[in-house]
Amino acid sequence: MKKFTFVLNGRDVEALEGQSILEAADGAGVYIPRLCYHKDLLPGGHCRVCSVKVNGKVANACTMPAADWMVVDTDTEELNEYRRLIIELLFVEGNHFCPICEKSGDCELQALAYKFGMTAPLWPTLSKNPPVDASHPDVFIDRNRCVLCGRCVRASRERDGKSVFGLEGRGIRTRIALDSLDGLGMTALGRNDAAATICPTGSLVLKRVGFTTPYGARAYDKAPIGSEIEKKEE
Amino acid sequence: MVCNADEGEPGTFKDRVVFTEVPDLLFEGMTVAGYAVGASEGIVYLRAEYEYLLPGLLEVLDRRRRLGLLGRNICGKEGFDFDVRIQMGAGSYVCGEESSLLESAEGRRGAPRTRPPFPVTRGYRNQPTALNNAETLCCAARILAKGADWFAAQGTRDSTGTKLLSVSGDCARPGTYEVEFGLSVNKLLALVGADEAAAVQVGGPSGTCVAPKDFGRKICYEDLSTGGSVMVFGPGRDMLEVVRDFTEFFAEESCGWCAPCRVGTEVLLRMLDEIRDGRGTQDHLYRMMQLGDTVKACSRCGLGQTAVNPFLTTLRNMRDIYTERLSAHEYVPRLDLKKAVAFSEELAGHRSEVKEE
Amino acid sequence: MAAKPRVATCSLTGCFGCHMSLLDIDERIIDLIGLVDFDKSPIDDIKSFTGPVDVGIIEGGVSNDENVEVLRSFREHCGVLVAVGECALTGGVPSMRNLVPLKECLEEAYLKGPTLVGGAIPNDPEIPLLLDRVYPCHEVVRIDYMLPGCPPSADVLWTALAALLKGEEPKLGYELIKYD
């Protein structure tokens, strides 16, 4: 594949043709905060946390292909303010009870909130309060914790060759739909499906395996999310 | 070659006039555009509410086929093949956005696509697609008939030609007007009989709310850009209520795909309600501005990028509509104690001893 | 010597875990006693404010009318009000009842529960009246600082208190901002 360089945070970095800004930045050891992106899936562009500045204009790093004419900034006060605000919005859209959540400590939404120093969400809460669906023997879906990143939707299609999940409804009533009206238990979702474990929050969780890692040893207890990408460069 | 006739922006009804009065001009424009870009297939994406126009339009298309103006070898020109079909819209505002329109036209959920690629590269059924507004295509036909110089001689340097405006609201003569670009708001108001206007929403809810002090501004791309919607508000109108309604409209029409638009529009609406109810503070305005900036900058498509305009433009142009409703206190609790204990009081059969503050 | 700064604490709808965490500052509690005097607080069992207080520490969310009254009196008496822990900041675990309307919640607990026989919803006049939902403290009074955690670790509380007593703004590093 053809290589080229573009300017990332003031220095020249290399990228491969076809790479998104986010992928190229990852390769260069520059972490761009992201939530809906997953390296094994096509990008969705849902969360907008990876918003960056391309030649002064805001662009979405996971869906925008890098190009040689680009001057990209990823870590400005303005951008981090946008990101912090979006994350705070996601907290009031759902009901995120971190203290009792299986995903706490390994949750990407929580980790981003830590990274941006959120103490508590202050926007008015939107109280959607959807019921939990625990009808599947091995997996449950709790839409209170869903950030509509669409990872399960994409993983089911792209990785599992199924279409267990989809998006339905519009606006604030958008929700993850299932391909069965009789609950998750009646879908083709399998315990070993990529879609079953790809959720960044505790919305889709494997049953009977929660709370196994002690506090202090979980993914984001000590080091902020993205440290693994930034380390690569050193 | 796709014609965007979704015309979903509130206050816009100019395409309807095109379809009822000069449909041939539009189809001619599409045919010309098809010839220019080498397309043989034309699709009109017609707003669902305009279904009643369909029989008439189909008749026009049939007549044009009989006259050799559509179909194979148009006007006897070997290889000039072009035909038009009409695709009915499915009723969502966001389908006026080009990539959502294509999704909907292909039979899927009307939600924007990731861009790039843009429709000119991969559009309808992954084919390169030219997608233009009905009015633009009419202009194309007229430019070919009358010449580019004729067209460019009208309007301003950066906005040549004329613009169809759908004027509604508190004015004596609402309707669709064809005006030269560069017309000032003042002149337009005189034209439509709205001397008393207290505010003019140019470009529909997603456009700009103009206060009387700015009525000298001009309608053109370099100043007040508009898709055609002009709403006039008289002195009796509660502009905060107008902003609230527009914001509710966008929250309702948000496709839900991206977080800033989906959640941001809804939260903005809640906070506008708090201000309306006298429960807002200076802090509200500060935070709502931050919210507005984020939704505008980060949303995935034009809907979210403009959904906060009613709030942001009025906050700039007519800040009073907000400040006059703010609470006199620096802090206002979200808790409404009276409401919050009402159920328990009824259940217990006695009143709470804790007083309202 | 000038009078020591006064600190008051209380637990609204919480589990007292945040107070336990305050005790977990271990031997630093001796330093703390040297630095401050406690006013109204479960720690010294003083029931009502003896006068103005410099720093008020609130644990727990607001679930009933009595909570509202206590929280308001803290706001009135305290120069700086610090909300501590997930319940105070977001409603926390008690606010899980917000997912169910209060009526259904009470009926399930006192009338329809599978283990109930002849239940009744308690309505003794001494029992505080429940609010329609559990509110975070900042939706009831102005809160100056928020310390997240369930509970906030002893280090969080110590770091924040030490800063506040010096008249500085509490700053929490990455490892100190946690929601669990």
Side-chain angles (χ1 to χ4, degrees), chain B residues 164-181:
Chain B
L164 290 177
L165 299 177
S166 322
V167 183
S168 61
D170 299 322
C171 57
R173 294 177 290 279
T176 297
Y177 289 77
E178 184 175 9
V179 302
E180 271 191 58
F181 270 120

Side-chain angles (χ1 to χ4, degrees), chain B residues 85-111:
Chain B
R85 72 175 179 86
I86 296 178
Q87 168 75 50
M88 287 312 299
S92 168
Y93 172 75
V94 78
C95 292
E97 188 274 342
E98 56 177 12
S99 66
S100 312
L101 184 151
L102 293 172
E103 283 287 290
S104 170
E106 290 181 22
R108 282 195 291 272
R109 185 176 190 267

Side-chain angles (χ1 to χ4, degrees), chain B residues 240 271-272 274-286 288 311 315 319-330 332:
Chain B
L240 180 63
M271 295 181 83
L272 283 167
E274 289 179 340
I275 292 185
R276 181 190 59 182
D277 299 342
R279 305 175 78 91
T281 61
Q282 279 295 341
D283 190 56
H284 269 73
L285 291 186
Y286 173 71
M288 287 159 79
F311 169 68
L315 188 67
R319 203 179 168 86
D320 290 355
I321 66 169
Y322 300 101
T323 49
E324 69 194 12
R325 307 252 187 139
L326 294 185
S327 160
H329 302 283
E330 218 171 283
V332 178

Side-chain angles (χ1 to χ4, degrees), chain A residues 8-202:
Chain A
L8 185 64
N9 296 342
R11 67 189 171 95
D12 282 348
V13 298
E14 230 169 48
L16 296 171
E17 205 175 71
Q19 270 186 328
S20 67
I21 294 173
L22 186 141
E23 289 167 327
D26 275 5
V30 172
Y31 170 71
I32 300 170
R34 78 289 299 267
L35 182 58
C36 69
Y37 172 84
H38 190 283
K39 62 179 173 41
D40 298 335
L41 304 175
L42 293 171
H46 292 275
C47 72
R48 321 309 280 182
V49 171
C50 71
S51 294
V52 295
K53 283 261 177 133
V54 176
N55 300 54
K57 271 184 71 180
V58 177
N60 191 62
C62 75
T63 51
M64 177 70 77
D68 58 4
W69 52 267
M70 288 181 172
V71 177
V72 179
D73 282 304
T74 71
D75 191 18
T76 67
E77 203 174 309
E78 180 193 354
L79 289 169
N80 288 328
E81 203 48 42
Y82 293 151
R83 291 167 183 152
R84 194 193 54 69
L85 202 146
I86 292 169
I87 289 155
E88 205 184 320
L89 288 178
L90 291 171
F91 269 88
V92 295
E93 181 188 28
N95 292 299
H96 297 274
F97 300 106
C98 294
I100 53 103
C101 181
E102 294 85 342
K103 199 69 180 233
S104 193
D106 297 315
C107 169
E108 294 173 43
L109 176 70
Q110 187 191 56
L112 285 165
Y114 290 164
K115 183 178 168 68
F116 292 106
M118 183 185 89
T119 50
L122 301 177
W123 302 104
T125 174
L126 300 184
S127 336
K128 291 200 285 180
N129 310 346
V132 177
D133 176 351
S135 60
H136 192 283
D138 297 316
V139 189
F140 72 82
I141 179 167
D142 182 351
R143 292 184 178 85
N144 288 291
R145 306 169 178 174
C146 179
V147 291
L148 294 168
C149 69
R151 274 196 201 172
C152 56
V153 179
R154 285 174 280 151
S156 189
R157 295 206 181 131
E158 295 168 26
R159 301 279 308 286
D160 304 331
K162 305 174 182 177
S163 55
V164 173
F165 301 102
L167 289 172
E168 70 176 9
R170 306 187 73 80
I172 201 67
R173 286 176 302 282
T174 306
R175 57 170 229 148
I176 294 291
L178 307 174
D179 70 351
S180 160
L181 291 176
D182 299 316
L184 196 59
M186 297 304 283
T187 67
L189 182 72
R191 184 192 163 81
N192 297 320
D193 285 2
T197 53
I198 209 154
C199 180
T201 72

Side-chain angles (χ1 to χ4, degrees), chain B residues 66-313:
Chain B
R66 284 196 307 274
L67 292 172
L69 298 171
L70 284 173
R72 297 193 152 275
N73 305 321
I74 291 171
C75 297
K77 195 169 170 64
E78 188 73 22
F80 181 6
D81 302 340
F82 188 78
D83 210 331
V84 172
R85 72 175 179 86
I86 296 178
Q87 168 75 50
M88 287 312 299
S92 168
Y93 172 75
V94 78
C95 292
E97 188 274 342
E98 56 177 12
S99 66
S100 312
L101 184 151
L102 293 172
E103 283 287 290
S104 170
E106 290 181 22
R108 282 195 291 272
R109 185 176 190 267
R113 294 175 177 174
T114 295
R115 297 174 300 160
F118 290 91
V120 282
T121 321
R122 280 218 299 274
Y124 184 69
R125 298 201 192 285
N126 278 326
Q127 300 302 304
T129 302
L131 205 160
N132 290 96
N133 184 271
E135 188 182 351
T136 310
L137 293 163
C138 291
C139 287
R142 289 205 299 172
I143 290 169
L144 273 204
K146 298 192 170 191
D149 292 338
W150 165 82
F151 189 80
Q154 307 174 78
T156 68
R157 198 180 58 107
D158 293 319
S159 312
T160 49
T162 62
K163 181 81 194 86
L164 290 177
L165 299 177
S166 322
V167 183
S168 61
D170 299 322
C171 57
R173 294 177 290 279
T176 297
Y177 289 77
E178 184 175 9
V179 302
E180 271 191 58
F181 270 120
L183 187 76
S184 72
V185 175
N186 263 326
K187 282 193 179 146
L188 178 66
L189 290 174
L191 200 60
V192 304
D195 307 327
E196 300 238 292
V200 181
Q201 185 76 26
V202 180
S206 66
T208 308
C209 189
V210 186
K213 66 180 165 63
D214 296 321
F215 282 175
R217 289 181 67 180
K218 292 180 162 61
I219 292 169
C220 54
Y221 295 114
E222 58 272 34
D223 190 0
L224 288 169
S225 175
T226 173
S229 166
V230 175
M231 293 184 222
V232 184
F233 297 101
R237 302 287 168 182
D238 179 348
M239 288 312 289
L240 180 63
E241 205 59 45
V242 171
V243 172
R244 195 212 160 273
D245 286 352
F246 285 164
T247 306
E248 186 177 31
F249 170 79
F250 286 119
E252 188 74 28
E253 293 293 342
S254 164
C255 82
W257 185 279
C258 79
C261 173
R262 181 183 71 237
V263 195
T265 51
E266 189 71 24
V267 167
L268 186 67
L269 179 63
R270 303 272 175 125
M271 295 181 83
L272 283 167
D273 282 348
E274 289 179 340
I275 292 185
R276 181 190 59 182
D277 299 342
R279 305 175 78 91
T281 61
Q282 279 295 341
D283 190 56
H284 269 73
L285 291 186
Y286 173 71
R287 287 178 62 80
M288 287 159 79
M289 207 168 69
Q290 280 187 313
L291 175 66
D293 287 345
T294 304
V295 174
K296 194 176 174 69
C298 299
S299 288
R300 183 163 180 258
C301 79
L303 193 155
Q305 287 157 14
T306 56
V308 287
N309 281 355
F311 169 68
L312 288 177
T313 63

Side-chain angles (χ1 to χ4, degrees), chain B residues 326-340:
Chain B
L326 294 185
S327 160
H329 302 283
E330 218 171 283
Y331 170 87
V332 178
R334 283 224 167 88
L335 168 76
D336 180 345
L337 185 62
K338 211 169 149 188
K339 259 196 220 157

